[in-house]
């Protein structure tokens, strides 16, 4: 019988990623080919490879998705923070996952949402439901309930600077002692953007909230920025209206990417928010 995958769901800080990382490490220690990616990184790779296949072949989309899925070389594929918001992503998943699972790949995923709540209220969600049913058949769902471990210790209060506050302690915490100068950096799909980098190390970037979250940027762009910088000083952060789903989603994606890159990479990634709300809620 084929080994079943695991889908870990639960709130933030309940240990989902930690458990997945333990499994990933133990699989590698046992000689099992295991690959661990953040969901944003994986889905970006899917779209990039699908574009290459579309350029090279006139085969149907489903055939290209099967080819793409069969290229997965890992025995265990670990995907952290699964979240489906885009109809273009939603319509690809059933064919890819079905092919990978049938080919013996064991999928381990984490998400804040249980499978049945993925892509909730999404466009043409009825076309996504076969993927949800596929997960129910082939993957065990484990719900984690725990207190957010990140709320039990001291908060990095120096990394939240309210309007009119002194930014110097936050900059010192990020290791910045000098000024900033404009720098142009490459982002995804051959594009570039200009932001400020600290004059001494060129490893800390300063940008406005509108620059990073108001423009049409995505996870691939944020990964490119993390390749260039270890910390970010984000200015003029507004109180986000819930009606602006695009701003909220980009901000969440940005934080997800820099957090994951800091956890998985050799260099810790940090972010300071300036002009944040003067009385940020603790819950």
């Amino acid at each position: 019988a084929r080994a079943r995958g695991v889908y870990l769901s639960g709130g933030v800080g309940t240990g989902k990623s930690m458990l997945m990382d333990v499994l990933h490490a133990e699989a590698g220690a046992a000689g099992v080919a295991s690959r661990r990616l953040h969901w944003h990184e994986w889905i970006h790779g899917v779209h990039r490879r699908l574009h290459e296949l579309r350029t090279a072949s006139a085969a149907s989309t489903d055939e290209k998705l099967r080819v793409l899925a069969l290229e997965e070389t890992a025995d265990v594929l670990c995907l952290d923070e699964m979240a489906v918001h885009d109809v273009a992503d939603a319509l690809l998943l059933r064919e890819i996952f079905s092919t990978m699972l049938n080919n013996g790949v064991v999928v381990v995923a984490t998400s804040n949402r249980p499978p049945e709540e993925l892509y909730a209220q999404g466009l043409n969600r009825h076309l996504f439901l076969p993927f949800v049913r596929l997960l129910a058949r082939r993957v065990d769902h484990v719900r984690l309930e725990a207190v957010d471990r990140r709320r039990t210790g001291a908060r990095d209060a120096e990394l939240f600077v309210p309007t009119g506050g002194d930014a110097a302690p936050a900059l010192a915490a990020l290791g910045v002692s000098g000024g900033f100068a404009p720098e142009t950096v490459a982002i995804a799909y051959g594009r570039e953007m200009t932001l400020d980098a600290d004059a001494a190390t060129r490893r800390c970037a300063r940008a406005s909230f509108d620059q990073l979250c108001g423009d049409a940027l995505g996870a691939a762009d944020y990964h490119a920025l993390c390749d260039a910088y270890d910390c970010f000083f984000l200015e003029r952060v507004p109180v986000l209206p819930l009606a602006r789903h695009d701003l909220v989603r980009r901000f969440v994606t940005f934080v997800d990417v820099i957090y994951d890159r800091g956890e998985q990479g050799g260099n810790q990634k940090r972010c300071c928010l300036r002009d944040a709300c003067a009385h940020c809620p603790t819950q």
Side-chain angles (χ1 to χ4, degrees):
R2 296 188 181 98
R4 294 176 62 82
V6 180
Y7 183 106
L8 300 171
S9 73
V12 296
T14 54
K16 305 182 299 296
S17 298
M18 180 188 69
L19 288 174
M20 187 186 70
D21 289 342
V22 170
L23 186 148
H24 171 60
E26 290 298 317
V32 177
S34 179
R35 199 160 71 103
R36 193 266 191 211
L37 302 94
H38 192 277
W39 177 259
H40 294 310
E41 184 181 1
W42 180 79
I43 199 67
H44 170 64
V46 166
H47 284 291
R48 184 179 62 245
R49 181 60 179 139
L50 185 57
H51 174 72
E52 293 171 353
L53 292 172
R54 282 171 171 161
T55 302
S57 170
S60 70
T61 297
D62 280 354
E63 289 174 319
K64 293 184 179 72
L65 291 175
R66 285 191 287 272
V67 169
L68 184 155
L70 290 170
E71 291 175 344
E72 178 55 61
T73 58
D75 297 316
V76 178
L77 178 62
C78 299
L79 299 173
D80 195 26
E81 299 289 352
M82 178 185 285
V84 184
H85 303 295
D86 191 284
V87 65
D89 298 343
L91 298 181
L92 301 177
L93 297 181
R94 183 187 61 82
E95 194 65 48
I96 295 174
F97 272 71
S98 177
T99 301
M100 288 195 303
L101 293 169
N102 287 338
N103 199 43
V105 177
V106 175
V107 175
V108 179
T110 73
S111 179
N112 291 340
R113 294 175 176 269
E116 62 273 13
E117 293 183 11
L118 288 172
Y119 197 49
Q121 286 84 50
L123 182 65
N124 292 324
R125 188 173 188 268
H126 65 282
L127 299 176
F128 178 75
L129 293 179
F131 172 67
V132 176
R133 291 192 286 268
L134 174 70
L135 290 180
R137 292 196 309 270
R138 304 291 297 274
V139 175
D140 292 328
H141 175 211
V142 178
R143 177 74 180 176
L144 299 181
E145 301 286 352
V147 175
D148 186 346
R149 59 186 172 84
R150 290 165 295 190
R151 294 189 185 276
T152 60
R155 300 176 63 195
D156 284 332
E158 76 279 4
L159 299 185
F160 294 85
V161 183
T163 301
D166 181 10
L171 288 171
L174 295 176
V176 179
S177 57
F180 288 85
E183 180 171 85
T184 299
V185 62
I187 53 176
Y189 306 111
R191 296 171 298 149
E192 295 179 333
M193 70 179 298
T194 300
L195 34 67
D196 293 337
D198 72 291
T201 69
R202 318 301 293 178
R203 295 299 299 174
C204 184
R206 181 178 67 184
S208 70
F209 179 87
D210 282 344
Q211 276 181 287
L212 290 188
C213 302
D215 290 337
L217 299 181
D221 301 304
Y222 300 139
H223 275 287
L225 290 174
C226 282
D227 289 337
Y229 304 106
D230 296 325
C231 58
F232 298 88
F233 189 69
L234 196 59
E235 297 187 303
R236 298 190 292 281
V237 180
V239 176
L240 296 174
L242 292 179
R244 289 300 308 273
H245 299 292
D246 55 334
L247 297 181
V248 174
R249 187 170 299 159
R250 288 191 197 109
F251 185 53
V252 170
T253 299
F254 172 66
V255 172
D256 273 350
V257 169
I258 62 174
Y259 178 81
D260 188 71
R261 288 290 296 268
E263 289 286 295
Q264 299 303 317
N267 294 323
Q268 183 184 24
K269 306 294 180 182
R270 305 189 76 185
C271 180
C272 169
L273 307 180
R274 186 180 190 183
D275 297 342
C277 53
H279 302 287
C280 293
T282 59
Q283 298 296 328

